[in-house]
Amino acid sequence: MEKQTYRFSSGISVYSMTVMALMTAVTCILAPMSVPIGPIPVSLTNLVLCFSIILLGKKKATISFFIYLLIGCVGVPVFSGFTGGVGRLVGPTGGYLIGFLFLTWIGGIFAEKYTGKPLWYAVGMVLGTICLYAFGTIWYLILMKTDLWSALTVCVFPFLIFDAVKILLACTLGETIRRRLKY
């Protein structure tokens, strides 16, 4: 029996929309779970995004995360610490929420270009994470009116090991999950 793929006028298949919705839902569930280690908490947001990058590629992973952002901005408590609202987007951690878009896009470029090559996924995710750190740190630096070293000790250094583990985990398991979900 021949398998049919249904597509919307946008060119996105029902299957892709379903996986996008699933990853948005997983982000909404796991991102609020965070460990407050200072003004910037450790969360599972980037772990979910790393999996999204591998499963969806740049455009769909970015759209999935953007939908999550919209859900949080309307007040649903899906941001770290079970918070929501536009205030989180313009607050000290808002740069990271915006910076995650860079992570999905840059990581997605590598995931699409080097499908099936987890080492290249990691390269893309590391580059995306560097952009995420840069955007989030600059945002924090400006809002909190602090010096660069202080911002780095709050915004980057505590997260390096955690984020490396998340990238490693996603690159190790993501390809297997992607292959099993492919239709």
Side-chain angles (χ1 to χ4, degrees):
M1 181 176 190
E2 186 179 323
K3 187 172 186 170
Q4 292 183 334
T5 302
Y6 298 98
R7 296 191 181 279
F8 290 94
S9 60
S10 65
I12 297 176
S13 69
V14 173
Y15 174 83
S16 291
M17 288 186 94
T18 303
V19 177
M20 288 169 61
L22 175 67
M23 293 314 294
T24 300
V26 171
T27 308
C28 288
I29 293 166
L30 294 181
M33 297 179 198
S34 59
V35 177
I37 61 168
I40 314 294
V42 174
S43 78
L44 296 175
T45 308
N46 47 350
L47 174 64
V48 176
L49 294 183
C50 288
F51 278 108
S52 293
I53 288 165
I54 295 169
L55 299 177
L56 297 168
K58 69 178 184 258
K59 181 180 175 185
K60 294 171 190 164
T62 303
I63 291 169
S64 174
F65 180 73
F66 187 73
I67 293 167
Y68 159 80
L69 274 181
L70 291 175
I71 292 168
C73 283
V74 298
V76 179
V78 295
F79 296 149
S80 64
F82 296 95
T83 60
V86 178
R88 292 293 290 195
L89 200 61
V90 296
T93 59
Y96 291 95
L97 291 170
I98 301 298
F100 283 130
L101 293 167
F102 294 106
L103 171 60
T104 56
W105 192 262
I106 293 167
I109 289 171
F110 280 77
E112 288 176 2
K113 184 170 176 133
Y114 301 105
T115 301
K117 298 181 179 167
L119 180 61
W120 285 105
Y121 296 163
V123 170
M125 290 175 200
V126 166
L127 292 175
T129 300
I130 289 169
C131 290
L132 164 68
Y133 285 164
F135 201 84
T137 302
I138 291 168
W139 188 289
Y140 182 86
L141 189 93
I142 293 168
L143 276 175
M144 302 309 286
K145 296 177 177 37
T146 187
D147 63 286
L148 180 60
W149 183 256
S150 297
L152 289 172
T153 59
V154 168
C155 300
V156 177
F157 300 148
F159 304 96
L160 293 172
I161 293 173
F162 293 114
D163 291 344
V165 169
K166 293 173 196 174
I167 289 170
L168 181 64
L169 184 63
C171 290
T172 303
L173 300 174
E175 183 59 26
T176 302
I177 295 168
R178 186 189 69 75
R179 275 188 265 125
R180 298 214 177 173
L181 285 179
K182 278 297 179 193
Y183 49 99

